[in-house]
Amino acid sequence: MRGTVQLRDERVCQQEARAHLPCRHHFVAGLENKPWVFEHEGADVRRCTDALCRAAGFAPKVTFESGDVYLHTKLVSQGLAAAVVPGLSVRPRPDVAYSSLGVVRTIEVSTRAGSETSPVILAVTSALHAASQQ
């Protein structure tokens, strides 16, 4: 017979999704003819990016697809694409312009009840808190 595991959810932080744009751009509108790099079909950030572009009045030209957010930022820094990347995913780069999109996601950590004082769990949640403050 299996027992029921009690979980404890903790909201760690909220983070903003930001547009990663070639340096000369500072907003999503105006990028209707620019190639875009998107996550693969089904990813939440892909649906969000598509909705943001459509709200700006255009259907994005998805030229590249990858789940690798470092590749997204590299393509942007080379002027090959625009992207939307969640805030904690990559560190800011001087060759990429960032634009606030007003889209926030909540990051939560679920742990087994009673394990929240584990050194490993404390280290992970502390690191997430610290990263979200940068």
Side-chain angles (χ1 to χ4, degrees):
M1 177 177 193
R2 292 185 175 193
T4 302
V5 175
Q6 297 294 316
L7 295 178
R8 179 182 166 276
D9 295 328
E10 176 187 351
R11 177 180 284 177
V12 176
C13 64
Q14 289 190 311
Q15 69 165 173
E16 185 174 35
R18 296 177 299 182
H20 288 210
L21 309 168
C23 274
R24 64 187 176 279
H25 293 281
H26 295 286
F27 48 87
V28 174
L31 293 171
E32 52 275 344
N33 295 319
K34 186 78 176 165
W36 283 78
V37 57
F38 269 43
E39 293 266 348
H40 297 290
E41 286 287 339
D44 287 339
V45 72
R46 183 185 181 116
R47 285 189 294 274
C48 178
T49 304
D50 188 57
L52 289 166
C53 291
R54 291 180 190 285
F58 67 96
K61 179 181 165 189
V62 181
T63 306
F64 306 99
E65 283 189 10
S66 173
D68 182 348
V69 294
Y70 294 102
L71 175 62
H72 290 208
T73 302
K74 186 67 173 175
L75 289 168
V76 172
S77 74
Q78 298 295 313
L80 299 173
V84 171
V85 178
L88 289 178
S89 300
V90 294
R91 291 198 165 119
R93 296 174 51 124
D95 54 351
V96 174
Y98 300 94
S99 179
S100 173
L101 300 172
V103 176
V104 176
R105 72 176 179 172
T106 300
I107 296 178
E108 294 182 346
V109 175
S110 294
T111 57
R112 186 176 35 84
S115 68
E116 59 271 6
T117 59
S118 159
V120 172
I121 291 172
L122 289 172
V124 169
T125 56
S126 293
L128 285 169
H129 279 292
S132 70
Q133 300 304 312
Q134 296 178 2

